Amino acid sequence: MPSQTLPAVWTERHRLHDPGGEVWVGVSIPGTEVVARGDLIRAALAEAGFSIVDPVVHDPSHLHRVHDPAMVDYLRTAHDNWVAAGYPEDPGQDRVVPYVFPLPQAVADRPFRLPAAPSARAGVYTTDTTTLIGPGTYAAALSAADCALTAAEMVLGGTRAVYAACRPPGHHAGRGFFGGSCYLNNAALSAQALRDGGVDRVAVVDLDAHHGNGTQDIFYDRADVLYSSVHVDPGAGWFPHFVGFADERGRGPGEGANLNCPMAPGGGDGPWLEAVEALCTAAAGHRADALVVSLGVDGAAGDPESPLDISADGFCRAAEALAGLGLPTIFVQEGGYDLDRLGGLVVGTLSAFATPGGHR
Ligand code: SP5
Ligand code: ZN
């Protein structure tokens, strides 16, 4: 049986975002969310015969459907303000990096004052020191959001499944915070666009190796969008460390519409695929009318950012389980950092979804 494909939304504008490394435990390191990722994914899609379409440019006001407008405005202006303050010359840092954070227990119960220094403003919205802002970061993040919104519009128009090749990724960006190499939450924007387009109930299934603390935050109080995730156990020492535990089940009207399946490091395909089945069962139980898959492939064996040890075949089996739901589906790219395997993992997963059983 010839392998089928799905349309892929991709733009070269991802290249505008070159984080130039990250600061981790106080040390500047090269980082793994690199420009090459976006181009490797495109090359693999093209070679496998996927049709590649440009995103439609959207007005940035769409972002306010899931993000705090003040954070969006910060992201838009942060790098210009950083340069104007002279940090590229003194002390010699041309990317926006925080050094101080307004922890709730340190600033609670008094009026919030936006700090005057750009170096201090850099800590207001980010959770960590690994998510640097360069000159083109905001433009690229906007274009990644355009990919996710365009995919949603294609599905609303009747296309069964679409892949949004988003870079930078998004699932660690919440309503009013960003981090973990993410700036704007592409998957949440997709899910919200489906809702706004008339889809009643949406399920987000997050396969990235890390918990999508941003997506969980955005939908935590809502009954209309289920957030569900399988990820390496934050309690075992993994990012995002503070969030992603099994007892986080949603709040208020959203009680029961959040499902976390933390995995022990090194578990491999068996327990991970059992968890994927549980996520599919939850999506069906949610009576979802459409699916948004946060497709990180950083759980793959050999990936430098996770210890999950999932095989390429494991990703194909997960895709087949998702296909079994029979729902209109948007795949949104998240992580995946093993540059030798990234393209093959993404194409293999999407192909298995389009042609269940076709890879065996
Ligand atoms: C989108 C996504 O997958 N974000 C995950 C970011 C996780 N970053 C954790 C901290 C980075 C530390 N990297 C050091 C690697 C040493 N092997
Ligand atoms: Zn990840």
Side-chain angles (χ1 to χ4, degrees):
M1 181 163 42
S3 195
Q4 309 215 309
T5 62
L6 30 154
V9 192
W10 180 93
T11 170
E12 64 189 8
R13 289 174 63 80
H14 82 84
R15 295 179 193 139
L16 295 168
H17 173 54
D18 182 355
E22 62 185 43
V23 176
W24 184 57
V25 298
V27 180
S28 285
I29 60 174
T32 49
E33 205 296 284
V34 294
V35 175
R37 295 181 64 248
D39 292 341
L40 288 166
I41 287 173
R42 190 194 188 283
L45 292 167
E47 196 188 351
F50 285 64
S51 72
I52 299 172
V53 301
D54 275 322
V56 173
V57 175
H58 292 74
D59 190 89
S61 60
H62 280 79
L63 306 175
H64 302 164
R65 296 293 294 142
V66 306
H67 289 301
D68 178 356
M71 179 177 85
V72 175
D73 206 55
Y74 167 76
L75 287 169
R76 183 177 61 80
T77 55
H79 190 263
D80 284 351
N81 290 335
W82 186 266
V83 170
Y87 301 115
E89 293 78 40
D90 179 10
Q93 175 55 267
D94 66 357
R95 298 299 197 273
V96 179
V97 194
Y99 89 102
V100 64
F101 300 89
L103 298 180
Q105 67 272 35
V107 302
D109 304 324
R110 65 211 78 174
F112 183 78
R113 296 177 182 87
L114 197 63
S119 58
R121 285 193 191 201
V124 172
Y125 293 108
T126 193
T127 57
D128 55 79
T129 63
T130 69
T131 313
L132 277 51
I133 298 174
T137 295
Y138 180 68
L142 272 184
S143 290
D146 280 333
C147 290
L149 291 167
T150 301
E153 285 149 11
M154 291 167 74
V155 163
L156 286 168
T159 308
R160 159 83 210 288
V162 181
Y163 168 64
C166 298
R167 179 183 176 273
H171 74 152
H172 298 305
R175 203 190 100 77
F177 63 86
F178 67 96
S181 303
C182 300
Y183 305 85
L184 299 170
N185 195 315
N186 308 306
L189 286 161
S190 250
Q192 185 62 47
L194 291 175
R195 287 286 297 111
D196 292 342
V199 175
D200 282 338
R201 305 176 66 79
V202 176
V204 179
V205 174
D206 191 331
L207 300 182
D208 186 277
H210 305 97
H211 177 252
N213 55 321
T215 316
Q216 171 170 304
D217 171 70
I218 288 166
F219 297 118
Y220 206 62
D221 298 293
R222 288 171 52 171
D224 55 337
V225 180
L226 168 74
Y227 175 73
S228 67
S229 176
V230 56
H231 48 269
V232 61
D233 185 359
W238 293 84
F239 191 89
H241 300 286
F242 301 96
V243 185
F245 297 85
D247 61 0
E248 297 157 17
R249 302 195 60 255
R251 185 172 51 209
E255 178 84 48
N258 195 90
L259 175 64
N260 287 329
C261 298
M263 298 279 105
D269 288 359
W272 188 76
L273 286 169
E274 273 179 41
V276 170
E277 287 294 344
L279 305 187
C280 291
T281 300
H286 183 66
R287 291 178 288 116
D289 304 300
L291 199 60
V292 174
V293 180
S294 265
L295 180 62
V297 293
D298 44 3
D303 191 282
E305 295 290 354
S306 106
L308 282 178
D309 222 14
I310 309 306
S311 72
D313 185 61
F315 278 97
C316 292
R317 287 172 189 270
E320 290 172 347
L322 293 167
L325 290 168
L327 293 171
T329 300
I330 301 165
F331 287 90
V332 176
Q333 185 65 43
E334 304 284 359
Y337 308 101
D338 179 347
L339 299 183
D340 293 334
R341 298 202 183 98
L342 173 60
L345 285 164
V346 170
V347 161
T349 305
L350 298 176
S351 301
F353 179 88
T355 313
H359 66 294
R360 280 194 283 272

